[in-house]
C-alpha cells in the first residue's frame, strides 16, 4: 500500500508511553469500577489523593482513559434480544466504506460496530425488543444498503463480562 494511502476509519492513535505501575493499577481499578471515588483509588494505589486526581486527569488527557460508561440492563429498557450481525461489504471503495461506517452507529438499536479481519468486514452488536424488530432492522437497514453484500445474524444467548477486563502489558 502506498505511503500516502491509509485504511478506512480513524487514524491510528499512538499508544501513550511512560505508563508506570501506578498508572496501570489506576486503569485496572477504574476498569473494574468506573465510579470508584478518588480517595479509594488513592488508598488502593498508595498515593496521595491530590496525586491520584492529577494522574487520572493525565490518563484522560493522554487518551489512555477515553471515558466512563454505565453497564445497562438492556432487557430493563425493553430491548432483551441481542445479536451480532456479520457484514460483508461488496465493493471496497473508500467512499462506500466511509459512508457505511458513519451511518451504522446511528441506526436504532446499534450498540457497537467492529471492523474485523476475515471473511466478514464488520461485526455489528445490536439490541432489539423482539425477533420481528431484529428481522426488520436487518432487512430495512442492512440488506437494503447498497454497500452490503451479505449479512448473517447470530443471536446472543448470554453475555458475561470479564471480572477483570483491564488490559495487562
Amino acid at each position: 500500500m502506498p505511503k500516502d494511502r491509509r485504511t478506512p476509519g480513524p487514524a491510528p492513535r499512538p499508544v501513550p508511553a511512560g505508563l508506570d505501575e501506578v498508572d496501570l493499577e489506576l486503569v485496572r481499578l477504574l476498569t473494574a469500577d468506573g465510579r470508584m471515588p478518588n480517595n479509594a483509588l488513592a488508598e488502593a494505589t498508595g498515593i496521595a489523593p491530590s496525586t491520584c486526581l492529577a494522574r487520572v486527569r493525565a490518563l484522560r488527557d493522554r487518551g489512555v482513559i477515553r471515558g466512563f460508561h454505565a453497564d445497562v440492563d438492556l432487557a430493563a429498557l425493553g430491548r432483551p434480544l441481542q445479536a451480532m450481525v456479520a457484514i460483508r461489504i461488496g465493493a471496497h471503495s473508500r467512499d462506500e466504506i466511509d459512508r457505511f461506517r458513519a451511518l451504522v452507529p446511528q441506526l436504532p438499536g446499534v450498540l457497537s460496530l467492529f471492523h474485523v479481519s476475515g471473511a466478514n468486514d464488520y461485526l455489528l452488536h445490536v439490541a432489539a425488543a423482539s425477533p420481528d424488530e431484529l428481522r426488520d432492522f436487518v432487512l430495512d437497514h442492512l440488506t437494503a444498503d447498497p454497500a452490503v453484500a451479505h449479512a448473517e445474524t447470530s443471536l446472543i444467548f448470554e453475555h458475561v463480562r470479564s471480572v477483570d477486563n483491564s488490559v495487562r502489558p
Side-chain angles (χ1 to χ4, degrees), residues 3-107:
K3 283 186 177 186
D4 61 335
R5 185 170 167 93
R6 67 174 185 82
T7 59
R13 295 179 63 178
V15 175
L19 296 180
D20 63 15
E21 290 301 316
V22 174
D23 290 332
L24 293 172
E25 183 64 6
L26 287 169
V27 170
R28 187 191 69 74
L29 291 166
L30 288 169
T31 299
D33 179 3
R35 293 183 58 164
M36 190 171 189
N38 185 64
N39 286 345
L41 284 169
E43 185 177 329
T45 55
I47 59 177
S50 59
T51 302
C52 183
L53 189 60
R55 280 182 172 254
V56 171
R57 280 188 184 140
L59 289 166
R60 290 184 71 194
D61 291 345
R62 294 167 64 195
V64 175
I65 296 174
R66 297 185 300 185
F68 299 91
H69 310 278
D71 184 10
V72 177
D73 180 356
L74 295 168
L77 298 177
R79 303 186 80 69
L81 185 64
Q82 292 184 58
M84 294 298 284
V85 184
I87 303 291
R88 196 171 311 131
I89 301 296
H92 287 88
S93 75
R94 179 170 304 280
D95 290 341
E96 274 299 294
I97 289 173
D98 288 346
R99 181 195 60 77
F100 181 81
R101 192 179 165 280
L103 169 74
V104 170
Q106 300 175 35
L107 295 175

Side-chain angles (χ1 to χ4, degrees), residues 77-153:
L77 298 177
R79 303 186 80 69
L81 185 64
Q82 292 184 58
M84 294 298 284
V85 184
I87 303 291
R88 196 171 311 131
I89 301 296
H92 287 88
S93 75
R94 179 170 304 280
D95 290 341
E96 274 299 294
I97 289 173
D98 288 346
R99 181 195 60 77
F100 181 81
R101 192 179 165 280
L103 169 74
V104 170
Q106 300 175 35
L107 295 175
V110 172
L111 303 173
S112 299
L113 176 67
F114 303 93
H115 191 179
V116 298
S117 66
N120 295 300
D121 298 301
Y122 290 95
L123 285 177
L124 181 59
H125 183 194
V126 299
S130 68
D132 289 342
E133 183 180 287
L134 177 60
R135 180 201 61 226
D136 291 346
F137 172 84
V138 171
L139 292 173
D140 296 343
H141 297 290
L142 300 178
T143 59
D145 189 302
V148 175
H150 179 76
E152 182 176 330
T153 304

